[in-house]
Short mmCIF file of all heavy atoms in Angstrom, two decimals:
data_model
loop_
_atom_site.label_atom_id
_atom_site.label_comp_id
_atom_site.label_asym_id
_atom_site.label_seq_id
_atom_site.Cartn_x
_atom_site.Cartn_y
_atom_site.Cartn_z
N ASP A 291 64.48 15.44 39.13
CA ASP A 291 63.15 15.78 39.66
C ASP A 291 62.06 14.93 39.00
O ASP A 291 61.15 14.43 39.70
CB ASP A 291 62.88 17.25 39.36
CG ASP A 291 61.48 17.67 39.79
OD1 ASP A 291 61.30 17.93 40.99
OD2 ASP A 291 60.56 17.72 38.95
N CYS A 292 62.19 14.70 37.69
CA CYS A 292 61.21 13.83 37.00
C CYS A 292 61.20 12.43 37.59
O CYS A 292 60.14 11.84 37.80
CB CYS A 292 61.51 13.79 35.50
SG CYS A 292 60.37 12.89 34.54
N HIS A 293 62.35 11.89 37.79
CA HIS A 293 62.50 10.57 38.39
C HIS A 293 61.82 10.48 39.76
O HIS A 293 60.97 9.61 40.01
CB HIS A 293 63.97 10.18 38.54
CG HIS A 293 64.26 8.86 39.16
ND1 HIS A 293 64.19 8.62 40.50
CD2 HIS A 293 64.65 7.67 38.55
CE1 HIS A 293 64.45 7.38 40.75
NE2 HIS A 293 64.76 6.75 39.58
N GLN A 294 62.06 11.48 40.62
CA GLN A 294 61.50 11.47 41.93
C GLN A 294 59.99 11.72 41.91
O GLN A 294 59.29 11.24 42.82
CB GLN A 294 62.21 12.52 42.83
CG GLN A 294 63.70 12.16 43.14
CD GLN A 294 63.80 10.77 43.78
OE1 GLN A 294 63.90 9.78 43.06
NE2 GLN A 294 63.79 10.77 45.09
N SER A 295 59.53 12.47 40.91
CA SER A 295 58.09 12.67 40.80
C SER A 295 57.38 11.33 40.55
O SER A 295 56.31 11.06 41.14
CB SER A 295 57.78 13.65 39.67
OG SER A 295 56.41 13.73 39.46
N VAL A 296 57.94 10.51 39.69
CA VAL A 296 57.31 9.19 39.40
C VAL A 296 57.45 8.27 40.60
O VAL A 296 56.54 7.51 40.93
CB VAL A 296 57.98 8.60 38.14
CG1 VAL A 296 57.47 7.16 37.92
CG2 VAL A 296 57.62 9.43 36.90
N VAL A 297 58.63 8.31 41.29
CA VAL A 297 58.81 7.50 42.49
C VAL A 297 57.72 7.87 43.49
O VAL A 297 57.09 6.99 44.12
CB VAL A 297 60.21 7.74 43.07
CG1 VAL A 297 60.27 7.12 44.47
CG2 VAL A 297 61.27 7.08 42.16
N GLY A 298 57.50 9.14 43.73
CA GLY A 298 56.48 9.57 44.65
C GLY A 298 55.11 9.14 44.29
O GLY A 298 54.30 8.70 45.14
N ALA A 299 54.75 9.20 42.97
CA ALA A 299 53.46 8.76 42.51
C ALA A 299 53.25 7.28 42.76
O ALA A 299 52.16 6.82 43.16
CB ALA A 299 53.29 9.12 41.02
N LEU A 300 54.29 6.52 42.47
CA LEU A 300 54.23 5.05 42.66
C LEU A 300 54.07 4.70 44.16
O LEU A 300 53.28 3.83 44.50
CB LEU A 300 55.47 4.37 42.11
CG LEU A 300 55.53 4.24 40.56
CD1 LEU A 300 56.95 4.00 40.12
CD2 LEU A 300 54.66 3.13 40.11
N TYR A 301 54.80 5.40 44.99
CA TYR A 301 54.70 5.18 46.43
C TYR A 301 53.29 5.46 46.93
O TYR A 301 52.67 4.68 47.64
CB TYR A 301 55.70 6.02 47.15
CG TYR A 301 55.64 5.96 48.66
CD1 TYR A 301 56.13 4.82 49.32
CD2 TYR A 301 55.04 6.99 49.40
CE1 TYR A 301 56.08 4.79 50.72
CE2 TYR A 301 55.01 6.92 50.76
CZ TYR A 301 55.49 5.83 51.45
OH TYR A 301 55.42 5.79 52.79
N ALA A 302 52.72 6.63 46.51
CA ALA A 302 51.37 6.99 46.92
C ALA A 302 50.36 6.02 46.42
O ALA A 302 49.39 5.64 47.12
CB ALA A 302 51.07 8.41 46.42
N LEU A 303 50.49 5.56 45.16
CA LEU A 303 49.58 4.62 44.59
C LEU A 303 49.59 3.28 45.31
O LEU A 303 48.53 2.72 45.62
CB LEU A 303 49.93 4.39 43.08
CG LEU A 303 49.09 3.36 42.33
CD1 LEU A 303 47.63 3.78 42.32
CD2 LEU A 303 49.66 3.23 40.88
N LEU A 304 50.78 2.78 45.63
CA LEU A 304 50.87 1.51 46.37
C LEU A 304 50.30 1.64 47.77
O LEU A 304 49.66 0.70 48.25
CB LEU A 304 52.32 1.02 46.40
CG LEU A 304 52.84 0.30 45.14
CD1 LEU A 304 54.25 -0.24 45.45
CD2 LEU A 304 51.93 -0.83 44.75
N ARG A 305 50.60 2.74 48.39
CA ARG A 305 50.02 2.96 49.75
C ARG A 305 48.47 2.92 49.69
O ARG A 305 47.89 2.30 50.57
CB ARG A 305 50.54 4.29 50.31
CG ARG A 305 52.01 4.35 50.58
CD ARG A 305 52.35 4.10 51.97
NE ARG A 305 51.87 5.16 52.84
CZ ARG A 305 52.15 5.20 54.18
NH1 ARG A 305 52.89 4.28 54.75
NH2 ARG A 305 51.70 6.23 54.93
N GLU A 306 47.92 3.56 48.72
CA GLU A 306 46.48 3.60 48.58
C GLU A 306 45.94 2.19 48.28
O GLU A 306 44.92 1.77 48.88
CB GLU A 306 46.09 4.55 47.48
CG GLU A 306 44.56 4.67 47.27
CD GLU A 306 44.18 5.61 46.19
OE1 GLU A 306 45.08 6.19 45.53
OE2 GLU A 306 42.98 5.84 45.97
N LEU A 307 46.57 1.48 47.34
CA LEU A 307 46.08 0.18 46.97
C LEU A 307 46.16 -0.84 48.15
O LEU A 307 45.28 -1.67 48.34
CB LEU A 307 46.88 -0.40 45.84
CG LEU A 307 46.63 0.20 44.45
CD1 LEU A 307 47.63 -0.30 43.43
CD2 LEU A 307 45.23 -0.11 43.99
N THR A 308 47.21 -0.76 48.93
CA THR A 308 47.44 -1.72 50.02
C THR A 308 46.67 -1.36 51.27
O THR A 308 46.29 -2.22 52.03
CB THR A 308 48.93 -1.86 50.35
OG1 THR A 308 49.46 -0.57 50.70
CG2 THR A 308 49.69 -2.45 49.21
N ARG A 309 46.35 -0.09 51.46
CA ARG A 309 45.64 0.31 52.66
C ARG A 309 44.14 0.33 52.49
O ARG A 309 43.40 -0.24 53.34
CB ARG A 309 46.11 1.72 53.14
CG ARG A 309 47.47 1.68 53.73
CD ARG A 309 47.85 3.04 54.35
NE ARG A 309 49.06 2.99 55.08
CZ ARG A 309 49.56 3.96 55.84
NH1 ARG A 309 48.90 5.13 55.93
NH2 ARG A 309 50.69 3.83 56.50
N GLN A 310 43.65 0.88 51.41
CA GLN A 310 42.24 0.95 51.20
C GLN A 310 41.58 -0.35 50.90
O GLN A 310 40.38 -0.52 51.06
CB GLN A 310 41.92 2.00 50.13
CG GLN A 310 42.27 3.43 50.53
CD GLN A 310 41.75 4.46 49.52
OE1 GLN A 310 41.14 4.07 48.49
NE2 GLN A 310 41.98 5.72 49.80
N THR A 311 42.37 -1.27 50.37
CA THR A 311 41.80 -2.59 50.04
C THR A 311 42.14 -3.67 51.09
O THR A 311 41.86 -4.82 50.89
CB THR A 311 42.33 -3.08 48.67
OG1 THR A 311 43.79 -3.26 48.79
CG2 THR A 311 42.03 -2.14 47.56
N ALA A 312 42.71 -3.21 52.20
CA ALA A 312 43.04 -4.10 53.32
C ALA A 312 44.06 -5.17 52.95
O ALA A 312 44.14 -6.20 53.57
CB ALA A 312 41.77 -4.77 53.87
N LEU A 313 44.81 -4.91 51.92
CA LEU A 313 45.85 -5.85 51.51
C LEU A 313 46.94 -5.91 52.53
O LEU A 313 47.53 -6.97 52.82
CB LEU A 313 46.40 -5.51 50.13
CG LEU A 313 47.43 -6.46 49.52
CD1 LEU A 313 46.85 -7.83 49.32
CD2 LEU A 313 47.95 -5.93 48.18
N GLY A 314 47.31 -4.73 53.09
CA GLY A 314 48.30 -4.68 54.13
C GLY A 314 49.71 -4.70 53.61
O GLY A 314 49.99 -4.49 52.42
N GLY A 315 50.65 -4.96 54.47
CA GLY A 315 52.02 -5.02 54.09
C GLY A 315 52.69 -3.67 54.31
O GLY A 315 52.12 -2.73 54.84
N VAL A 316 53.93 -3.56 53.82
CA VAL A 316 54.74 -2.36 53.99
C VAL A 316 55.24 -1.87 52.65
O VAL A 316 55.76 -2.64 51.82
CB VAL A 316 55.95 -2.68 54.89
CG1 VAL A 316 56.86 -1.48 55.01
CG2 VAL A 316 55.47 -3.13 56.28
N VAL A 317 55.06 -0.61 52.38
CA VAL A 317 55.54 0.07 51.19
C VAL A 317 56.70 0.96 51.54
O VAL A 317 56.57 1.78 52.48
CB VAL A 317 54.44 0.90 50.46
CG1 VAL A 317 55.02 1.51 49.19
CG2 VAL A 317 53.22 0.02 50.14
N ARG A 318 57.81 0.86 50.83
CA ARG A 318 59.00 1.69 51.11
C ARG A 318 59.57 2.21 49.80
O ARG A 318 59.28 1.70 48.76
CB ARG A 318 60.05 0.87 51.90
CG ARG A 318 59.63 0.48 53.28
CD ARG A 318 59.56 1.69 54.18
NE ARG A 318 59.26 1.31 55.56
CZ ARG A 318 58.03 1.34 56.11
NH1 ARG A 318 56.99 1.69 55.33
NH2 ARG A 318 57.84 1.00 57.33
N LEU A 319 60.33 3.31 49.91
CA LEU A 319 60.96 3.84 48.74
C LEU A 319 62.46 4.18 49.00
O LEU A 319 62.84 4.23 50.17
CB LEU A 319 60.25 5.08 48.24
CG LEU A 319 60.36 6.39 49.08
CD1 LEU A 319 59.86 7.55 48.25
CD2 LEU A 319 59.55 6.32 50.38
N SER A 320 63.17 4.34 47.92
CA SER A 320 64.59 4.56 48.05
C SER A 320 64.87 6.00 48.57
O SER A 320 64.04 6.85 48.43
CB SER A 320 65.30 4.38 46.67
OG SER A 320 64.78 5.35 45.76
N PRO A 321 66.05 6.19 49.16
CA PRO A 321 67.13 5.23 49.33
C PRO A 321 66.97 4.36 50.58
O PRO A 321 66.91 4.91 51.72
CB PRO A 321 68.40 6.08 49.42
CG PRO A 321 67.90 7.35 50.05
CD PRO A 321 66.47 7.54 49.57
N LEU A 322 66.84 3.06 50.43
CA LEU A 322 66.75 2.14 51.50
C LEU A 322 67.33 0.81 51.07
O LEU A 322 66.87 0.25 50.06
CB LEU A 322 65.31 1.98 51.99
CG LEU A 322 65.07 1.00 53.13
CD1 LEU A 322 65.79 1.43 54.41
CD2 LEU A 322 63.60 0.90 53.45
N ASP A 323 68.33 0.29 51.80
CA ASP A 323 68.95 -0.94 51.37
C ASP A 323 68.07 -2.18 51.56
O ASP A 323 67.42 -2.34 52.58
CB ASP A 323 70.26 -1.15 52.19
CG ASP A 323 71.33 -0.15 51.82
OD1 ASP A 323 71.26 0.48 50.72
OD2 ASP A 323 72.32 0.01 52.62
N VAL A 324 68.13 -3.04 50.55
CA VAL A 324 67.55 -4.39 50.65
C VAL A 324 68.62 -5.43 50.44
O VAL A 324 69.26 -5.46 49.33
CB VAL A 324 66.43 -4.59 49.61
CG1 VAL A 324 65.86 -5.96 49.67
CG2 VAL A 324 65.31 -3.53 49.83
N TYR A 325 68.92 -6.21 51.44
CA TYR A 325 69.97 -7.20 51.33
C TYR A 325 69.39 -8.48 50.73
O TYR A 325 68.67 -9.24 51.39
CB TYR A 325 70.55 -7.50 52.73
CG TYR A 325 71.46 -6.38 53.25
CD1 TYR A 325 70.92 -5.19 53.64
CD2 TYR A 325 72.85 -6.55 53.35
CE1 TYR A 325 71.72 -4.09 54.11
CE2 TYR A 325 73.66 -5.53 53.81
CZ TYR A 325 73.09 -4.33 54.22
OH TYR A 325 73.90 -3.32 54.67
N LEU A 326 69.78 -8.79 49.46
CA LEU A 326 69.27 -9.93 48.80
C LEU A 326 70.04 -11.19 49.15
O LEU A 326 69.47 -12.29 49.29
CB LEU A 326 69.31 -9.71 47.28
CG LEU A 326 68.35 -8.64 46.72
CD1 LEU A 326 68.49 -8.53 45.21
CD2 LEU A 326 66.87 -8.94 47.06
N ASP A 327 71.37 -11.03 49.22
CA ASP A 327 72.19 -12.19 49.61
C ASP A 327 73.57 -11.68 50.09
O ASP A 327 73.67 -10.46 50.39
CB ASP A 327 72.37 -13.21 48.45
CG ASP A 327 72.90 -12.51 47.16
OD1 ASP A 327 73.84 -11.69 47.25
OD2 ASP A 327 72.44 -12.90 46.07
N ALA A 328 74.57 -12.50 50.10
CA ALA A 328 75.86 -12.18 50.73
C ALA A 328 76.66 -11.18 49.87
O ALA A 328 77.65 -10.56 50.41
CB ALA A 328 76.71 -13.42 50.97
N VAL A 329 76.31 -10.96 48.63
CA VAL A 329 77.10 -10.05 47.81
C VAL A 329 76.25 -9.07 46.98
O VAL A 329 76.74 -8.38 46.11
CB VAL A 329 78.02 -10.86 46.79
CG1 VAL A 329 79.12 -11.57 47.55
CG2 VAL A 329 77.19 -11.76 45.95
N ASN A 330 74.97 -9.00 47.33
CA ASN A 330 74.10 -8.09 46.57
C ASN A 330 73.13 -7.31 47.56
O ASN A 330 72.35 -7.94 48.30
CB ASN A 330 73.18 -8.87 45.62
CG ASN A 330 73.99 -9.44 44.46
OD1 ASN A 330 74.48 -8.70 43.62
ND2 ASN A 330 74.21 -10.74 44.42
N VAL A 331 73.32 -6.01 47.54
CA VAL A 331 72.50 -5.10 48.35
C VAL A 331 71.97 -4.01 47.39
O VAL A 331 72.77 -3.25 46.78
CB VAL A 331 73.32 -4.45 49.49
CG1 VAL A 331 72.39 -3.56 50.29
CG2 VAL A 331 73.98 -5.46 50.33
N VAL A 332 70.67 -3.97 47.19
CA VAL A 332 70.07 -3.08 46.21
C VAL A 332 69.21 -2.03 46.89
O VAL A 332 68.83 -2.17 48.05
CB VAL A 332 69.24 -3.86 45.18
CG1 VAL A 332 70.18 -4.76 44.36
CG2 VAL A 332 68.17 -4.71 45.87
N GLN A 333 68.87 -0.97 46.11
CA GLN A 333 67.97 0.02 46.55
C GLN A 333 66.83 0.21 45.50
O GLN A 333 66.93 1.10 44.63
CB GLN A 333 68.69 1.37 46.77
CG GLN A 333 69.60 1.39 47.92
CD GLN A 333 70.17 2.76 48.25
OE1 GLN A 333 70.04 3.67 47.43
NE2 GLN A 333 70.87 2.89 49.35
N PRO A 334 65.83 -0.64 45.57
CA PRO A 334 64.72 -0.45 44.58
C PRO A 334 64.11 0.90 44.77
O PRO A 334 64.02 1.42 45.88
CB PRO A 334 63.74 -1.58 44.97
CG PRO A 334 64.52 -2.56 45.78
CD PRO A 334 65.59 -1.76 46.47
N ASP A 335 63.63 1.49 43.70
CA ASP A 335 63.00 2.80 43.80
C ASP A 335 61.79 2.76 44.73
O ASP A 335 61.58 3.65 45.58
CB ASP A 335 62.62 3.37 42.45
CG ASP A 335 63.87 3.83 41.68
OD1 ASP A 335 64.67 4.52 42.28
OD2 ASP A 335 63.95 3.53 40.50
#
């Protein structure tokens, strides 16, 4: 629960920073696969 609380706070913070400042882009949180190369697939928090 503690881990997910911090993940949620980070997600909310990044959403605010990127939306309210018109920086744009996409914010995502785990579990979601990111394919880095042919042998590495990670799930950043």
